[in-house]
Amino acid sequence: MRAMVYRGPYKIRVEEKDVPAIEHPNDAIIRVTLAAICGSDLHLYHGLMPDTRVGHTFGHEFIGVVHEVGPSVQNLQVGDRVMVPFNIYCGSCWFCARGLYSNCHNVNANATAVGGIYGYSHTTGGYDGGQAEYVRVPFADVGPAKIPDWMSDEDAVLLTDATSTGYFGAQLGDIAEGDTVVVFGAGPVGLVAAQSSWLMGAGRVIVVDHLDYRLEKAREFAHAETLNFAEYDDVVVELKKQTDFLGADVAIECVGAEADGNLLQHVAGAKLKMQGGSPVALNWAIDGVRKGATISVMGAYGPIPNAVKFGDALNKGLTLRMNQAPVKRQWPRLFEHIRNGYLKPSDMVTHRFPLEEIPEAYHVFSSKLDGCIKPLIVPSAA
Amino acid sequence: MSESDIPSAYVREKRSPAPSREELRARIPGWGVDLDPADRPSNPKLLHAPDTGARWDFPERQPEHRPRERSIEHAFVTPVFGTAQPLKGASGAIRRLAYARFSEGRLAHWMLLVVGDRVDAVEHHLRSFATLRPDVPATGVRTELTHGGLASRRGRVDARHHVLDPLVVGGPWLVAAGAAVVGVRRLVRAARR
Ligand SMILES: NC(=O)c1ccc[n+]([C@@H]2O[C@H](COP(=O)([O-])OP(=O)(O)OC[C@H]3O[C@@H](n4cnc5c(N)ncnc54)[C@H](O)[C@@H]3O)[C@@H](O)[C@H]2O)c1
Ligand SMILES: [Zn+2]
Ligand SMILES: [Zn+2]
């Protein structure tokens, strides 16, 4: 089969690989029909995630058709169209039993500090991902779900990560009616977080980024006010001015390790890899909210320590909440919201690339060229 | 500043209350449908998940055909694990040490893994030079021409360090190529003597 393969930082290519095999009785093999590149893939692509091995196939946002099932699989049949949450999880460990699907203890031998994720380095378990023609899906009775007939492929693939994560991010913000919510990052995750904030009763939503074309999307798609941080010497002061010197009631950080806006932090964190990513947006969130506020962090960071302004967080009495999103827990509600037209994930798709051109797709998405918001990958066998 | 100009932060209530429910509902489709915090899918935090599809208390174990590295914070290799890219070569030895010796709480664990990653990449680059598909410093860069590289970056903060990118990406390759040239020259000179 054809598969995206990592060759080292900034280098990927498409190679011929063996079709994955059933390795556990509850495995399934899925033939991928549509995949996406996520902002999280960029951390791997830039070499920020420890134990990313040459030869690894990325991709944790994908849908497909069941190609083969292991002997104990009961909920899926060959030929079913399925959407697969980015989390790999067993459904029965201490954490899964409590709904923390993204923190499963039975699937990641390499680390206890993170659960299992498809195509996301050995630090999340060493599973090849879905930017390929076929992918091994463990615990096929637990993670995947059949795609409802009325749902488009694009909405389905975006529910496997970006949409569920943005919505989850808004939930961790503990939004109360009338709250002013500031969302850092106008990528797919931030755009959905902004939309979801309204559903949870926000009174005002402000989206911060430096990419004008994405801020335009935030205004039109998420009905938000926007702030281009490149236009201000100091975003934190601007946020205070815009909130009558209180600061926002809630911040949702949807940027993560590649954050820009502070040359030193960005170069040290994202370029020279001297910390687990650049916490510029996280620090702006800490300083830009009011005292007693809640910060929800969806942006991903590596396991190496970061220069985070923890003292300010303590002195301001902030609540910091964060996790990898437990995707499937969000689905029943999100299906309703999509059906009702409150959320339209497919509106974020700007590009489609055939699998063979995935090196180009990564460069365009990583460098934010050509108005790119969400690129989809179409495998040739699809 | 008269008293009514004092910003919200210094008085009891916000000076400009949020728009009314009716106004927000009219402007934003779906406003407030998830207003009740108790009725959001991630509440309560430690919910006992009803039915995840798991019919086991502890899953059947995936056969371990070769000894697999694991975090020493785990009691054993998890019942299900990834089998992609097993440890190999010098990078494999470094990574094996990181797992066997240091917990995830130790910086040494992660720094060794980072070193393992760089060694892994170098091992593969060297090997690729003997194939028909040698590695290059970065892939996909032709989109700088086809997808508006310069135009896209106008007015962005990353334009400031854009000039650094080729250096960060290509720098190590230039240094390695330089070292290789010097090394070959020395060898040639030594052979002539
Ligand atoms: N927690 C989870 O489960 C989960 C799931 C998916 C993605 N993520 C993470 O969410 C983050 C966003 O993902 P995405 O797909 O939207 O990525 P993306 O790269 O498309 O978006 C990131 C955006 O942040 C902007 N940005 C950079 N520096 C900023 C700053 N200082 N302030 C404000 N904005 C800034 C960028 O211009 C970009 O538009 C990533 O870190 C990703 O790893 C987490
Ligand atoms: Zn992701
Ligand atoms: Zn589990």
Side-chain angles (χ1 to χ4, degrees), chain A residues 11 51 167 177 244 249 337, chain B residues 8 14 21 34 99 136:
Chain A
K11 287 173 280 299
D51 212 355
Y167 183 72
E177 183 166 1
D244 223 15
D249 301 297
H337 289 342
Chain B
S8 303
K14 280 190 190 174
R21 289 183 169 189
D34 291 327
Y99 284 103
V136 290

Side-chain angles (χ1 to χ4, degrees), chain A residues 37-43 60 86 120 161-162 165 184-190 208-211 214 229 254-261 280-281 284 297-300 323-325 365 368 373-374:
Chain A
I37 307 179
C38 173
S40 302
D41 290 325
L42 300 180
H43 315 321
H60 55 267
F86 77 79
Y120 207 66
D161 183 354
T165 300
F184 290 91
V189 175
V208 181
D209 203 307
H210 68 120
L211 303 178
R214 288 185 170 206
F229 68 78
C254 306
V255 181
E258 273 85 12
D260 217 320
V280 181
W284 285 350
V297 186
M298 288 298 105
N323 203 349
Q324 296 284 346
F365 180 55
K368 314 301 189 222
I373 296 178
K374 190 72 178 177

Side-chain angles (χ1 to χ4, degrees), chain A residues 89-93 95-96 104-106:
Chain A
Y89 63 108
C90 75
S92 67
C93 68
F95 304 92
C96 287
C104 178
H105 215 60
N106 271 335

